[in-house]
Amino acid sequence: MTISIIGLGWLGLPLAEFLQQKGFSVKGSTRSQEKKAQLIRQGIQADQLLLSPGLASTFPSQLFETDLLFINIPPSRRTKSDDFHPQQIKYLRQVIRELGIGKVVYVSATSVYPSQNQIARETDELTGETTGNPALWHSERLLWEEKTYDLSVLRFGGLLGDDRVPGRYFSGKENVPGHPPVNYIHRKDAVQAIYWLIDQHLWNETFNIVSPEHPAKKVLFEKNAAELGFPPPASYESPPTQKWKEISSEKWQQTGFQFEYQNPLDFTYFG
């Protein structure tokens, strides 16, 4: 099987390397020519693909000669409107249809669920008004509509581990919400989960993929600070008012997937 990865970044590059080790023919895309050259030196077949939101680079025809297209591009909601990412997906959907690509995996996020002090599951009814992330929700909908391909949507929790330490983002900050449960996934488990989906042919489904256990943010941030030697948050929200959600990964666990990191308190870091 040939797999093309749109977005050879923090998740996409280790995924490409892992899938190559498993014997797949892998290629991918990056936004810059400089990164493309670097990836090729690393042994990854790479092309430049710039979507702004339509095609803003030369059409990389080899990239789309593939059995499976893995779409892993962030919505950039801080700098773009909520319509920007769906327009990128609309362009990719057109290419997928025109070239007859048979399988598609779309990386979404658990931010599609609103925070209403609830346990969130894939069966929850979401609309454009109730979703917590309109850009991702509308993009998911676009890919499901009148599809001509097998599709699976992966709603990852916060992608952490290795050089991403959750407690470091809140080090020294004031009024940090400490009571909400975390919904995190280690990068190693995320890569393994994608391989598991492909290997087990888990198509035409939406999955929440987060570690099964959900310690409180305060417990995790304090543990990170103590173990890695940086200051914890300076203070926590009092009284605790921020709404929360706990993401259920029960559906994903029922596929037989075994997490290496059941609990985010056990995540490993090297940064």
Side-chain angles (χ1 to χ4, degrees):
M1 179 184 283
T2 300
I3 299 175
S4 288
I5 299 172
I6 306 296
L8 290 172
W10 192 81
L11 176 63
L13 180 54
L15 173 64
E17 293 169 340
F18 182 82
L19 293 175
Q20 280 188 334
Q21 293 170 7
K22 291 293 184 180
F24 293 96
S25 175
V26 181
K27 44 195 169 182
S29 77
T30 182
R31 290 167 53 87
S32 75
Q33 287 286 0
E34 182 182 0
K35 181 75 179 292
K36 171 186 171 180
Q38 177 186 334
L39 289 164
I40 291 171
R41 289 194 296 270
Q42 292 176 236
I44 303 291
Q45 184 177 336
D47 277 299
Q48 183 187 28
L49 177 65
L50 187 58
L51 300 177
S52 188
L55 185 66
S57 56
T58 303
F59 181 74
S61 56
Q62 286 189 331
L63 178 69
F64 292 106
E65 293 171 2
T66 188
D67 301 306
L68 189 158
L69 189 67
F70 183 84
I71 303 173
N72 178 39
I73 49 178
S76 303
R77 294 184 71 203
R78 292 181 182 177
T79 57
K80 306 293 184 183
S81 71
D82 281 335
D83 188 53
F84 184 84
H85 184 62
Q87 291 298 322
Q88 291 178 311
I89 298 305
K90 191 175 289 187
Y91 172 79
L92 290 174
R93 183 184 65 174
Q94 177 185 345
V95 174
I96 291 164
R97 287 175 170 175
E98 289 178 355
L99 298 183
I101 296 172
K103 298 184 185 302
V104 176
V105 177
Y106 175 63
V107 173
S108 185
T110 56
S111 58
V112 298
Y113 300 105
S115 293
Q116 299 173 328
N117 300 343
Q118 87 282 24
I119 296 177
R121 297 181 173 87
E122 295 89 344
T123 52
D124 291 356
E125 291 282 343
L126 297 175
T127 68
E129 289 70 42
T130 63
T131 181
N133 190 323
L136 287 176
W137 184 82
H138 283 291
S139 296
E140 288 185 13
R141 298 269 294 185
L142 282 167
L143 287 168
W144 285 116
E145 287 174 1
E146 300 177 9
K147 67 184 182 66
T148 56
Y149 41 83
D150 286 323
L151 170 68
S152 280
V153 172
L154 304 184
R155 292 174 175 167
F156 282 118
L159 285 156
L160 294 157
D162 296 334
D163 60 338
R164 288 187 181 178
V165 184
R168 185 166 281 143
Y169 299 114
F170 298 91
S171 177
K173 293 189 176 179
E174 302 275 357
N175 206 34
V176 172
H179 66 285
V182 302
N183 299 292
Y184 293 158
I185 180 76
H186 196 285
R187 176 164 62 173
K188 291 178 183 175
D189 275 332
V191 168
Q192 292 282 353
I194 296 159
Y195 170 69
W196 179 257
L197 179 140
I198 297 168
D199 187 61
Q200 299 295 309
H201 309 287
L202 301 173
W203 296 109
N204 304 307
E205 298 283 355
T206 296
F207 294 106
N208 296 336
I209 303 184
V210 300
S211 292
E213 298 187 34
H214 305 268
K217 288 185 175 182
K218 179 178 180 178
V219 175
L220 181 60
F221 296 164
E222 297 285 335
K223 187 172 190 284
N224 286 168
E227 291 184 349
L228 298 173
F230 55 79
S235 65
Y236 291 95
E237 182 186 66
S238 181
T241 57
Q242 186 181 84
K243 289 189 175 182
W244 53 268
K245 62 195 170 203
E246 180 180 306
I247 306 297
S248 169
S249 61
E250 182 180 1
K251 178 180 177 181
W252 179 246
Q253 293 177 65
Q254 288 173 351
T255 70
F257 180 78
Q258 298 295 313
F259 286 87
E260 183 173 346
Y261 300 95
Q262 292 271 334
N263 190 331
L265 291 173
D266 300 326
F267 282 9
T268 53
Y269 306 99
F270 56 70

